[in-house]
Amino acid sequence: MTTKNTIAIDLDSADIERVLEELMAIRTELVAAAAVSEPRLAEVHPNFRDSARNLLHYLALRRRDLRPLQLQLAKLGLSSLGRAESHVLATIDAVLRALHRLVHRTWQPSSQDATEIDFAAGLRLLSEHTTALLGVSAAKHGVRIMVTIPSEAAKNYTVVHELLQQGMDCMRINCSHDDALAWLQMIEHLRRAEQSLGRHCRIVMDLAGPKLRTGPLEPGPEVVRIRPQRDAYGHVTAAARIWLTAESGPRLPPSPATACLPVPAEWLAGLRPADRVKLTDARGAKRTWTVVDVSDGGCWAEATKTAYIVTATTLQHERDAVGGDLRNTQVGRLANCEKAILLRQGDLLIVTRDLKPGCPFRYDSEGQVLTGATIGCTIPEVFDDVRSGDPIWFDDGRIGGIVEKIESTQVFVRITQARVRGEKLRGDKGINLPESKLRLTALTAQDLKDLAFVAQHADVVELSFSNTAHDVESLQQQLARQGSRQPAIVLKIETRRGFDNLPEMLLTAMRAPSCGVMIARGDLAVECGFERLAEVQEEILWICEAAHIPVIWATQVLESLAKDGMPSRAEITDAAMGHRAECVMLNKGPYVVNAVRMLNDILQRMHAHQTKKQAMLRELRLAHTLPATSVPSDCD
């Protein structure tokens, strides 16, 4: 007589056989995919040979929709393959052995196609490759911290010392800014700080790449608006702080200033705390400022009323004494205020192929457009690759449009994305053409000049706008021409094209003994769509883990903290997610030292909870908070 338990076992056996058959077919596909690519694997550096094969296994695995299979494996209490990235074939084989045992058979892979990367080896390879690229971590959490060094680090040793002291593992120099002399001074300050603190820090240099940006706009007037902070009722809550400095040798303010005004050094030397400075501003409004502090580099004055200051505004120095005399001077040359084009949905913007200063819309007395708004483009040849209907984005995705018409000297863009009240477009703002097949090479003429310095001093070179395997090969060839010292290459993934070509670029980069990937989330979000960014960065993390290649999590990490001194809640969560990468990058800002300190603390806390995608089940204090329930006695 057949029991219910026997029937259940028979049904389970049939399910197991179907799962086993599907998984064996998958394994055959994985092995075949790697075998077909053996010529390509032969070009990979020995450090990455096993990793490259694992990457090919992973790519073959992800060509299927595995979700139904995952559910079946989970029902059987087996691995659902959700953590297979770093050891794909080993995971498949482990599940196959367990399935065979469930049907009372034994199974072992043939020695010919057995994997050399088991579970421990996958983790070890990623760790080794991370250390080779980014150095030994200074913190227990193991995630390196990279900091984009500010320009002032060339003159100020203390900035570098404090960053290194707080946990900076990699000092990033952006070649878009400063020059070789300043870069060398930054590096010398780092070496000095390393000796002082007994630590080592990698030097990362970022090649500028082809910067597709808006051109200049017509200069505005030479005027500065000085405005105190007010509450909702118009009451002053904080006076405006004006930094007065000598026009012959201006000094930067030691702390954030509302405005910086150049004045003659002789007049400045006569100012004392509590003195008053009187003036009539550009609107004819009479104003009085109070001197609150004097230092070697300049002095601070405070204002409680708004003022508009222009070049040659007369300042009257009045001592706080009865009958004190007045000394007059004039404000030195001010920079032109920056003009902007106010764009609303439906507006037509003309993008020109030259760098002639653009201009905003001009209106008549009835508000009708007299002349359209124009702005140039730093790389006009990209419009040879643009077609009508292509989307175009400006200023990190704040303004979006559609290419409506293309002429020989200009391109007409219909604005489709902007806030209701409009968005201001200024010069030197990024342009993205995500669906246009641009024939831009990653290395510019300036990059080739900078490579001489980079090859001599950097441990790592970042390739901006890495789009194709050819881009990677070009940099490898250029570095080889610089001599035997070869910095490791990090691919900056910041375009849709670069994301689509990532596997091929990785296999090319793996011809060298060390390499990495940066998720440049700013441009990448614009290129792929903000709604897709989370999905795209997940895929990059998975692909790179399969290749045992370290990932740098970059762009706007704790940016509000670094720039303004206070992080947002969303930024804290974002920084915590960065723990799934091997390195997190912070951008420069007045409070970047505080940002390094906070990031270290966040990463330390996350280390106890998660490694990559795997939750770490440490003891939870929360699990002890529920009061124990009383146990009923036998008498009840």
Side-chain angles (χ1 to χ4, degrees):
M1 180 176 179
T2 304
T3 65
K4 290 183 178 181
N5 287 340
T6 304
I7 295 172
I9 291 173
D10 290 341
L11 289 174
D12 286 346
S13 297
D15 291 340
I16 293 170
E17 290 289 357
R18 283 193 293 271
V19 172
L20 209 160
E21 182 180 352
E22 181 177 358
L23 203 57
M24 285 296 292
I26 289 174
R27 189 186 194 281
T28 300
E29 291 175 7
L30 267 57
V31 173
V36 169
S37 298
E38 279 300 328
R40 170 168 274 179
L41 290 173
E43 297 178 349
V44 171
H45 192 277
N47 288 3
F48 283 112
R49 196 71 51 77
D50 291 337
S51 300
R53 186 173 285 105
N54 189 72
L55 171 62
L56 294 171
H57 289 158
Y58 184 72
L59 294 173
L61 178 69
R62 296 304 302 269
R63 291 184 189 121
R64 287 174 171 244
D65 184 354
L66 296 169
R67 289 173 293 180
L69 176 62
Q70 285 184 295
L71 290 174
Q72 291 174 313
L73 291 172
K75 283 167 54 178
L76 293 169
L78 300 175
S79 168
S80 64
L81 311 179
R83 284 292 299 123
E85 285 82 7
S86 64
H87 34 70
V88 179
L89 207 56
T91 303
I92 298 286
D93 288 351
V95 176
L96 281 172
R97 291 189 191 95
L99 287 169
H100 278 87
R101 287 195 204 99
L102 289 175
V103 292
H104 310 294
R105 298 199 300 268
T106 59
W107 177 86
Q108 287 293 334
S110 67
S111 57
Q112 187 176 2
D113 59 13
T115 180
E116 296 181 9
I117 300 181
D118 58 16
F119 294 86
L123 300 175
R124 176 181 54 78
L125 284 170
L126 178 57
S127 177
E128 289 176 355
H129 295 162
T130 301
T131 300
L133 181 73
L134 304 170
V136 178
S137 174
K140 294 180 180 178
H141 51 68
V143 179
R144 280 64 169 179
I145 296 178
M146 182 182 294
V147 181
T148 302
I149 209 76
S151 297
E152 64 176 300
K155 301 294 184 183
N156 190 344
Y157 162 74
T158 304
V159 171
V160 180
H161 184 276
E162 289 182 348
L163 288 171
L164 190 63
Q165 188 174 42
Q166 291 302 324
M168 176 177 70
D169 298 291
C170 304
M171 184 179 81
R172 177 176 178 263
I173 297 174
N174 189 344
C175 295
S176 297
H177 305 291
D178 309 306
D179 54 25
L181 177 59
W183 303 337
L184 186 59
Q185 290 171 329
M186 295 172 185
I187 293 170
E188 289 173 348
H189 286 162
L190 177 65
R191 297 308 183 211
R192 177 182 164 193
E194 286 177 325
Q195 289 184 349
S196 173
L197 297 170
R199 287 200 51 217
H200 183 65
C201 179
R202 291 294 166 94
I203 297 170
V204 180
M205 298 194 71
D206 181 276
L207 297 175
K211 296 298 183 184
L212 183 57
R213 308 183 80 80
T214 55
L217 290 168
E218 293 176 346
E222 297 173 1
V223 61
V224 173
R225 182 176 68 171
I226 297 172
R227 182 175 61 177
Q229 295 180 21
R230 300 179 184 273
D231 62 18
Y233 300 98
H235 301 137
V236 173
T237 57
R241 288 174 57 80
I242 304 111
W243 175 249
L244 300 171
T245 185
E247 58 184 345
S248 57
R251 300 279 189 89
L252 293 174
S255 59
T258 309
C260 301
L261 303 180
V263 295
E266 298 80 8
W267 184 86
L268 184 66
L271 296 178
R272 300 289 182 272
D275 287 355
R276 292 191 297 270
V277 176
K278 293 188 173 183
L279 60 103
T280 300
D281 80 352
R283 302 167 300 165
K286 297 184 182 298
R287 296 290 183 256
T288 300
W289 300 342
T290 302
V291 178
V292 294
D293 187 34
V294 176
S295 67
D296 292 338
C299 79
W300 287 104
E302 289 188 346
T304 56
K305 292 185 177 180
T306 299
Y308 288 78
I309 308 300
V310 297
T311 299
T313 294
T314 298
L315 303 180
Q316 296 177 321
H317 171 203
E318 181 183 66
R319 285 280 175 89
D320 191 15
V322 178
D325 61 339
L326 294 174
R327 296 190 307 129
N328 292 356
T329 194
Q330 291 184 332
V331 173
R333 185 68 181 266
L334 298 175
N336 297 95
C337 71
E338 188 180 20
K339 270 193 176 181
I341 301 173
L342 182 64
L343 294 169
R344 295 183 175 90
Q345 291 185 26
D347 284 346
L348 190 65
L349 174 67
I350 302 172
V351 184
T352 63
R353 289 179 180 253
D354 56 35
L355 290 177
K356 179 183 176 181
C359 62
F361 293 102
R362 291 190 173 92
Y363 302 90
D364 62 17
S365 58
E366 297 181 354
Q368 299 299 312
V369 174
L370 290 174
T371 59
T374 64
I375 198 164
C377 172
T378 55
I379 311 179
E381 55 266 30
V382 300
F383 289 114
D384 294 333
D385 302 325
V386 174
R387 300 291 177 265
S388 295
D390 284 359
I392 183 171
W393 295 89
F394 301 93
D395 194 7
D396 293 333
R398 289 183 174 87
I399 303 167
I402 297 293
V403 175
E404 199 167 89
K405 186 170 66 171
I406 301 170
E407 294 182 353
S408 58
T409 60
Q410 56 194 14
V411 173
F412 294 82
V413 175
R414 184 69 63 182
I415 301 302
T416 58
Q417 299 287 333
R419 286 186 291 184
V420 174
R421 66 185 184 188
E423 288 282 359
K424 291 182 178 180
L425 179 61
R426 294 181 167 84
D428 197 35
K429 297 300 179 182
I431 301 176
N432 292 87
L433 292 153
E435 294 183 15
S436 304
K437 296 181 179 179
L438 305 181
R439 290 171 291 180
L440 285 177
T441 57
L443 292 174
T444 66
Q446 185 59 49
D447 294 333
L448 297 178
K449 292 179 182 178
D450 293 339
L451 270 179
F453 183 96
V454 171
Q456 183 179 356
H457 296 280
D459 300 302
V460 177
V461 55
E462 293 176 350
L463 180 61
S464 296
F465 298 97
S466 307
N467 287 325
T468 66
H470 176 70
D471 291 335
V472 184
E473 288 176 341
S474 296
L475 179 55
Q476 290 171 334
Q477 292 166 4
Q478 291 295 333
L479 286 173
R481 294 190 182 105
Q482 298 296 329
S484 58
R485 190 180 187 279
Q486 296 289 300
I489 295 175
V490 164
L491 311 178
K492 287 178 66 179
I493 307 303
E494 46 194 327
T495 67
R496 181 181 299 183
R497 191 176 174 202
F499 171 70
D500 290 339
N501 291 328
L502 178 59
E504 186 178 8
M505 288 196 294
L506 286 180
L507 289 170
T508 304
M510 293 161 82
R511 295 173 185 173
S514 181
C515 62
V517 164
M518 173 181 283
I519 309 178
R521 300 182 301 161
D523 280 298
L524 192 58
V526 179
E527 290 269 332
C528 296
F530 284 85
E531 67 280 2
R532 275 205 69 202
L533 178 62
E535 175 188 1
V536 167
Q537 65 189 18
E538 285 298 302
E539 292 189 28
I540 295 174
L541 285 168
W542 296 339
I543 293 291
C544 290
E545 186 178 0
H548 309 129
I549 286 180
V551 173
I552 302 165
W553 181 276
T555 314
Q556 295 180 328
V557 178
L558 297 179
E559 183 151 320
S560 297
L561 173 57
K563 289 186 174 179
D564 303 320
M566 180 63 71
S568 69
R569 288 184 290 273
E571 286 179 338
I572 298 295
T573 303
D574 176 63
M577 287 295 293
H579 188 273
R580 295 176 56 190
E582 283 64 52
C583 179
V584 178
M585 190 190 88
L586 295 171
N587 272 324
K588 56 192 175 183
Y591 305 98
V592 68
V593 174
N594 295 346
V596 173
R597 187 183 301 116
M598 177 174 283
L599 180 59
N600 241 329
D601 182 62
I602 292 170
L603 294 175
Q604 184 66 45
R605 293 174 184 276
M606 287 303 299
H607 180 64
H609 292 280
Q610 187 169 345
T611 298
K612 303 299 279 185
K613 286 195 302 179
Q614 182 176 348
M616 308 302 290
L617 304 181
R618 72 165 178 81
E619 181 184 5
L620 289 181
R621 287 179 297 169
L622 191 63
H624 296 284
T625 59
L626 187 65
T629 56
S630 58
V631 180
S633 66
D634 294 338
C635 297
D636 292 340

